[in-house]
Amino acid sequence: MTALHSIQQSLKKGSLARHLMMRLFPPIALLVVLDLGVTWILTSRMHLEDWLLRDIFWTMLLSQLLWVALFGWVLITGLRSGLQQVQQLAEDIAAQDAEQLQPLVANDLPAELRPLVDHFNQLLSRLDDSVAAQKRFIAHAAHQLRTPLSALRLESELMLAKELPEDLRDQVQRVKLSTERMIRLGQQLLVLARADSAASPKDRFVRLDLCEWARTSGAEWLGATKAKQVELGLVAPDSAVWVDADPLLLDELLANLIDNALRYAQAETSICLRVTANPPTFSVEDDGIGISFNEHHQVFEAFYRGVGNQSDGSGLGLAIVREIALAHGAGWNLLSRPHVAGTRISIVFPGPRIGTGLRRRLPIRA
């Protein structure tokens, strides 16, 4: 009874076993009938005196080889048909977006695979909830820290405006600088959380001219670069270079690229913003000390600050650049000495086509 029940379960409607049986049984039955027909003709209709034993042997051998070949072709065809849905399931899993997990559809799958898909969808749901909770925690923590830190910075500025002993003034100045670093870190965490959540949806994207944006947003950094005695320049075509992007995220991308150059390039005298049209590309290039080839990949990881670097940065700048590039379906690459004067970081946009699925790191080439 147990074996019969197992067979009944295997052959229930929608199962892979039932599908294979329905596809394979008719051709196999036909092959068996043909084989029996040939055997019957050889044994009952042919006279042995007209045939030599050698002729009978070769006839039987060739007919069996033919049946085996036909049977193999029927079997492979049936298996491919039955496993086509399994291949489609594999393609659906491979096409999953890590930033926007979607449940798999199990309606058209064989019954044997539906429990697997249901459990996989439950795992995706738990993973999506966990990632969303992590992003909410980062955003909430950054928001909660920003208010008291702003108050602390204001208090330190008020104290510095008064007459203070030299040693106390130095201490207050250090508190102010530390507070400003914490505020900047909180802002970067907020942007990082926003870039993560924007990596798939494009509802905040607008069509903008990359050249005009670079002129407007780059001009806001003239004061900061002048204070560091660094010349800020722009090289861009006269015609518009259109991309679909989130202007706020692009401003943060530019801020992190320029801030990264000012903090880490060391001894640079100029920073050049460059826009090219085919494909739409935005680059920030400095003439500083450069980055060693071994660190080209590591500098885009969160909190990595480089070997022997003494800057007071948090190491989040280029990680945010990477996330914003991913949010725009853009590629990015880094070139350094001897290919360029210092370091050049380029963001290559997919052009004005909202909804692109491009996600890649570009190869490093001169």
Side-chain angles (χ1 to χ4, degrees):
M1 291 297 292
T2 304
L4 180 61
H5 178 72
S6 177
I7 293 175
Q8 289 176 345
Q9 287 294 109
S10 299
L11 297 180
K12 66 181 181 179
K13 187 176 180 180
S15 67
L16 182 60
R18 181 186 178 92
H19 174 80
L20 291 176
M21 182 176 178
M22 297 300 293
R23 288 296 301 268
L24 296 177
F25 182 77
I28 291 176
L30 178 61
L31 289 177
V32 171
V33 170
L34 290 175
D35 186 53
L36 291 176
V38 172
T39 303
W40 180 73
I41 291 174
L42 289 175
T43 56
S44 63
R45 293 295 183 180
M46 303 298 295
H47 298 289
L48 292 179
E49 59 270 16
D50 297 332
W51 285 70
L52 296 176
L53 290 177
R54 182 181 59 189
D55 297 330
I56 296 175
F57 169 76
W58 285 112
T59 301
M60 294 293 293
L61 178 62
L62 290 175
S63 64
Q64 293 301 317
L65 289 176
L66 177 61
W67 304 145
V68 169
L70 289 174
F71 178 77
W73 176 78
V74 170
L75 181 62
I76 292 174
T77 302
L79 286 174
R80 282 182 177 176
S81 174
L83 296 178
Q84 188 174 11
Q85 294 169 318
V86 178
Q87 179 65 29
Q88 182 60 47
L89 176 62
E91 292 176 359
D92 291 342
I93 294 176
Q96 283 285 330
D97 186 348
E99 301 293 340
Q100 191 178 25
L101 302 174
Q102 298 292 336
L104 301 175
V105 179
N107 295 338
D108 299 329
L109 292 175
E112 293 87 348
L113 293 178
R114 290 176 188 172
L116 173 64
V117 173
D118 291 339
H119 290 305
F120 186 78
N121 286 338
Q122 293 174 11
L123 175 62
L124 288 182
S125 178
R126 293 195 297 269
L127 181 61
D128 196 38
D129 292 341
S130 176
V131 172
Q134 183 182 23
K135 291 177 181 178
R136 286 195 301 271
F137 171 77
I138 293 175
H140 292 165
H143 273 299
Q144 292 297 324
L145 286 172
R146 186 166 58 180
T147 300
L149 287 174
S150 298
L152 183 59
R153 181 177 62 179
L154 179 60
E155 290 293 335
S156 60
E157 290 175 348
L158 291 175
M159 290 184 67
L160 290 172
K162 301 176 181 179
E163 293 292 334
L164 295 174
E166 193 63 30
D167 57 343
L168 181 58
R169 176 172 291 275
D170 291 340
Q171 294 175 3
V172 175
Q173 185 67 35
R174 287 196 295 270
V175 170
K176 179 177 178 292
L177 292 176
S178 298
T179 304
E180 289 176 344
R181 286 198 296 269
M182 289 295 295
I183 291 174
R184 175 61 178 162
L185 178 60
Q187 291 173 341
Q188 289 182 315
L189 289 174
L190 278 174
V191 172
L192 192 60
R194 183 166 185 250
D196 283 342
S197 63
S200 289
K202 306 291 189 296
D203 54 346
R204 288 189 291 270
F205 281 16
V206 297
R207 187 151 297 178
L208 56 83
D209 177 9
L210 201 58
C211 301
E212 183 60 28
W213 166 80
R215 292 187 188 97
T216 304
S217 298
E220 298 177 2
W221 282 88
L222 288 172
T225 54
K226 186 177 181 180
K228 294 277 189 177
Q229 298 182 342
V230 174
E231 180 182 353
L232 180 64
L234 172 66
V235 177
D238 295 330
S239 58
V241 178
W242 298 104
V243 295
D244 291 323
D246 182 339
L248 293 178
L249 287 182
L250 281 192
D251 287 344
E252 188 63 30
L253 178 142
L254 175 63
N256 281 281
L257 286 176
I258 295 181
D259 182 71
N260 184 79
L262 292 175
R263 288 179 183 273
Y264 299 105
Q266 297 183 25
E268 80 274 26
T269 60
S270 66
I271 296 176
C272 179
L273 310 182
R274 190 183 304 272
V275 178
T276 55
N278 293 310
T281 303
F282 174 71
S283 305
V284 174
E285 180 178 342
D286 63 64
D287 58 351
I289 61 174
I291 299 174
S292 67
F293 182 80
N294 294 334
E295 294 183 287
H296 281 195
H297 295 279
Q298 294 173 293
V299 293
F300 288 95
E301 299 299 325
F303 303 109
Y304 183 82
R305 297 177 54 198
V307 178
N309 195 287
Q310 302 299 319
S311 171
D312 59 357
S314 63
L316 277 176
L318 293 185
I320 291 176
V321 169
R322 179 193 62 188
E323 293 302 326
I324 294 176
L326 287 175
H328 289 80
W332 70 94
N333 70 3
L334 185 152
L335 285 177
S336 194
R337 293 185 174 184
H339 304 298
V340 295
T343 300
R344 180 198 298 164
I345 298 176
S346 301
I347 309 299
V348 183
F349 294 88
R353 43 180 180 170
I354 293 177
T356 180
L358 175 65
R359 285 170 171 272
R360 70 179 188 274
R361 181 185 182 104
L362 299 180
I364 297 174
R365 55 167 79 96

